[in-house]
Amino acid sequence: MYINDVIRQVKRFYPSEYDEPELYIWCNEVSAMLMIEDRNVFREICLPTDADGCVLLPEYVRLENIEIVESGGKQLEKKDFIRKGRMLDCGAEPDSELRIVYIEPYRPIRLTRYRGEAVLDADRNCIRTGACEFLSGDTLDIYSVAYDGSRELIASAVPLIEVAFDTSGSYMYMLRVPEGTLGSGGTYDCLIMRHVTDKTVCAEPYDSMYIDYILAKINLYQRDTEAYNQHITAFNSRLGAYKRWLINRMPAHGAKLENWW
């Protein structure tokens, strides 16, 4: 299920004073819990060591998430690692290469937006802005903003093909989009928002746990204890069923005892 479908169902079932950014935070809580506790995703990177045998870890690789470190085909003991900021001293050979297997951390839903003047260049199929935190592959909703703060939709669900950088003008970022998506173009006071396309970590029928969790959080902060208990019980029931399903689907190997008498 798409996260936006979760939000729509929550709003339909139980309208409340909480807005979408707060609901996205609670979706993040469920997704992070599932990925860290039940749905580990393993990644592998190879990094060079310096003259002291230390390696610079990327920001997204945490020491506690590292599973395996190999140097020259030999697995290094994690208990021997020494962390020095983002540098990791693991006793490897100087100027060698380390193979690191780590658990990928959960990446929260990106609610990226741009607010300011922008040029919609319909001839070159790009949006020129003075700042940009969007990434290639994002989907954009583009609004023009009036003096009174009201906004009008210019284009919705626009795929962002590429983010280019141009220092020749005052608008340094060029957001390339498909042909014909910007209409007649022009310069606007814009609000550009990333259209959330993230999905729930689990598939149906277990994805309804997101709805129960959000409803439970709303009732918790509204001090409705009875409703909170009902929804958190439903969430825990669905979560337990999902964990049992995962356990049954995990690969299992036969085991035998050796040197036992």
Side-chain angles (χ1 to χ4, degrees), residues 3-230:
I3 292 293
N4 280 342
D5 291 333
V6 171
I7 303 300
R8 278 190 286 269
Q9 291 195 43
V10 167
K11 289 183 174 181
R12 186 171 69 250
F13 293 158
Y14 196 88
S16 70
E17 67 273 25
Y18 297 101
D19 55 14
E20 289 187 0
E22 292 167 311
L23 303 184
Y24 285 131
I25 289 173
W26 293 331
C27 288
N28 282 330
E29 291 179 7
V30 179
S31 296
M33 177 188 64
L34 294 177
M35 285 195 64
I36 297 301
E37 297 181 3
D38 304 297
R39 288 287 304 272
N40 294 153
V41 176
F42 293 90
R43 302 294 185 192
E44 177 182 319
I45 53 174
C46 292
L47 300 173
T49 62
D50 61 14
D52 297 324
C54 298
V55 65
L56 178 64
L57 292 176
E59 291 185 0
Y60 55 86
V61 179
R62 302 173 181 172
L63 179 59
E64 60 269 24
N65 286 358
I66 294 177
E67 291 291 305
I68 298 173
V69 176
E70 287 185 354
S71 176
K74 178 183 177 182
Q75 185 168 328
L76 306 179
E77 293 290 336
K78 191 173 180 180
K79 62 183 178 63
D80 298 329
F81 296 172
I82 300 175
R83 183 96 183 240
K84 303 175 182 177
R86 287 176 55 199
M87 297 295 294
L88 183 67
D89 184 354
C90 50
E93 292 293 328
D95 300 319
S96 60
E97 187 175 71
L98 292 183
R99 172 180 171 266
I100 298 177
V101 178
Y102 65 97
I103 298 175
E104 184 178 36
Y106 173 69
R107 302 178 188 274
I109 298 168
R110 292 172 45 249
L111 303 179
T112 310
R113 60 173 55 199
Y114 169 81
R115 176 71 172 86
E117 193 172 75
V119 177
L120 308 186
D121 191 340
D123 294 330
R124 301 176 65 182
N125 300 310
C126 70
I127 306 168
R128 300 181 68 96
T129 63
C132 177
E133 295 182 357
F134 300 106
L135 302 176
S136 300
D138 282 348
T139 302
L140 307 179
D141 293 328
I142 307 170
Y143 299 87
S144 64
V145 182
Y147 291 109
D148 59 0
S150 61
R151 61 192 190 190
E152 180 181 354
L153 182 66
I154 297 176
S156 63
V158 177
L160 177 55
I161 299 174
E162 179 190 16
V163 178
F165 193 73
D166 181 10
T167 58
S168 61
S170 56
Y171 302 98
M172 295 182 293
Y173 293 91
M174 300 175 61
L175 285 61
R176 302 192 185 280
V177 297
E179 183 177 357
T181 56
L182 298 178
S184 58
T187 301
Y188 296 91
D189 184 9
C190 277
L191 171 63
I192 305 176
M193 305 171 62
R194 175 182 179 260
H195 187 85
V196 175
T197 56
D198 303 64
K199 292 184 176 182
T200 58
V201 172
C202 56
E204 64 279 350
Y206 308 104
D207 50 6
S208 62
M209 73 172 73
Y210 281 77
I211 299 172
D212 288 316
Y213 186 81
I214 294 176
L215 293 175
K217 296 288 281 192
I218 292 174
N219 294 139
L220 174 66
Y221 291 118
Q222 291 180 339
R223 302 180 185 276
D224 188 343
T225 304
E226 182 178 354
Y228 167 77
N229 288 334
Q230 291 175 352

